[in-house]
Amino acid sequence: MVENKQVILPITGMTCANCVATIERNVKKLPGIESASVNLASERATIAFDPGQLSLEEIVNRIDKAGYGIASGEMALEFKHLGDSADAKRLEKTFLKVEGVQSVQINLASDSAKVKYIPTLVTQQEIQKAVVKAGFGLLESSNNGKDIEAEAREIEIRHQLHLLVVSLILTIPLFALSMLRDFDVLPHYIGHAWWMNWLLLVLATPVQFYVGWQYYAGAYKALRNRSANMDVLIAMGSSAAYLYSLPVVFGWLDGHVYLETAAVIISLVRLGKYLEARAKGSTSDAIKKLMALQVKTARLVQDNKEKDIPIDEVKKGDILLIRPGQKIPVDGVVIDGKTTIDESMLTGEPMAVEKSVGDKVTGATMNRQGSIKIEAVNVGKDTVLAQIIRLVEEAQGSKAPIQKLADQVSSVFVPVVILISLITFLVWMFLLPVIIPALTVNPFTRALITAVAVLVVACPCAMGLATPTAIMVGTGMGAQNGILFRSGEALERAQKIDTVVLDKTGTVTNGQPVVTDIVVYDESMDENRLLVLTASLERKSEHPVGDALVAEAGNRDLKLKDAEGFTAISGQGVMGEVDGMSIAIGNQTLMQGMGKEISNFSERATSLQDQGRTVLFISINNKIVGLVAVSDVLKPTSKESIDELKMMGYDVVMLTGDNPVTARAIGRQAGIETVIAGVLPTEKANEVKKLQESGMRVAMVGDGVNDAPALAQADLGMAIGTGTDIAMAAAPVTLISGNLRNIAKAIRLSKRTVRTIRQNLFWAFIYNIILIPLAASGKMDPMLSAAAMAFSSVFVVTNSLRIRRAKI
């Protein structure tokens, strides 16, 4: 069975929420489509389909047929030698086999090729690799490392600016002449000259059909797809004013021309769309900043020689040198050297982290102090940064449940507005002149202008942008703070929870046992001497407790000795010889089995055990000489993070498979009153379900592996990420660092984002609810209506951008 495939396509030509509905409806008609979600703010379509039933080309063609385009990039490649037409044909096939390549033009005479491709599906580097792999010698390319999709959007914005400038150059004098004439400011021989209306027509026509051509084209495409969008409203409104004025200009009718009305409508809408496009670009700043973190080159160490290579040429297993002040190029493991790494871009935490041999490092983090060598582990699309970018893009392209209402209203909005406009025209034309005799003068003109005002004041765009712009800013801000929301739904859901359930090991605690106490009973021995002997023996053990002893010796820079006759006794401890002495390290059972009396040491041992620590008795030459306590200690920020959650009004529960004594001790240290202990991983989901059945809305926070069932059962799963272990993002939310403060941050960010969405939706709806009746009653001039319509969308987008200034 072929698995469904998901692609993200950059869409061009969308103007409002109706465009979103049109694309989704058309794509969903194709066989094999599982889901199709279009985001107006990011101008991207996320489509899941069965590649066994449907090809990517068919999807692209369907979008094109619906009247919309795909933002594409172009690259030029030059080859050492192409040979003959057979080589050219083989090269063409090579290109077209690469997913995302749309077309290719090969020039045998110049040994070159031009390739058109979709930047969200394939990169220039991947295209080049495919060509080289097929055996073609690549000479050079136009690859400049730019964001091709962003470049395509910028070209479109520049085109919009050009049209806006042309529009303003023509509309401002047109409007000024019309107003000056209407207020009798111009001399009579100028204001009422035969050529004045013709001058106004000359100024208005380019605005109507050159600057406004996009609205006619968009309206045609929408009507062809049996839908109606903002373009239909603008085309109808401006055309009505323009066409009504033509008979007056030609002298066929007496009356006033409304050419300035048509031009001002188009100019104001164009201005609003330009400002909206600029503002929308800011909603994706987080993605741009993340992409800017990607390193362009790496220093490869090979055969005792160093050389700089492009980052795309780095392969898994390569040895790379990173000097102080340089970014780590890819994910890897330190094999030489010691340093501190600034991981704030990944975790949001400002403190640098010490790294030495064996430690993992993440691409795009900053090397602060020493020079290190690393072995590349994850490269290209497998790096943590690449996965974060992909997850954020997917989240920004998703829809939150709160958006459903706006989508439903938008789907019928334009037809309803056209109907209201038609009713308005009929009422003003036929009904009101009968009721109010004063309106019998020029009823057609009055009716037409009022109907036009209704058409152009309505704004489906604000409703369409209300949710996705806020989701884009919210998810982007989360990523910058080390919080990954996989979808808009997860971002919305976080603010609904009232109970936070925490796993213990690796979540509340560090997940690694450390030595907390060393108690020496033999006067001939000090702590360090005792630690050297025990750690030397435990070095041969594979138990985490042994690792803790060895690590503590390393922290104290103690030199360990060789151990002989090592024996591990399952569930009890270890035995062996170090420095000619017989040593046994283990629990009470081991000591009693050796015939040792431990009653003299039990009071201190019990006290340590009550604190949730594992106690090891140490016997040297058949005499108990000391105790070592080992514990998985709280993370430095756990206590204050849990206190913060409780102050915010959330119930905090710890759910663990550890024994009740240890669990309760950790709970006391962390300030958690409700502790559910001794729970198997398979039973954790049931415990979460019991809390839900009692009426709680639960967020489960765990390591994302053994807690997976509980994460899935919870109303909101939050997985603790550990740098390269970003695969834990199978949960709806991933906290990249282990800092529990990010739980409260995630909740606050969710609340702020949802509050912004509600504000946006309120203003989008109330705007239309108030202004459409106002325009229908004749209280709004079409030009004022156009201004209000144009800036309603700008308001929604700028309101969403305010999330970036919020403190979380």
Side-chain angles (χ1 to χ4, degrees), residues 136-147:
F136 294 94
L138 194 60
L139 192 61
E140 60 179 90
S141 74
S142 62
N143 176 30
N144 49 22
K146 290 184 179 178
D147 183 341

Side-chain angles (χ1 to χ4, degrees), residues 502 507-508 637-638 641-642 701 720 738-744:
L502 303 170
T507 302
V508 176
T637 58
S638 289
S641 303
I642 290 162
V701 186
I720 296 291
N739 192 334
L740 297 188
R741 283 183 301 190
N742 281 348
I743 301 172

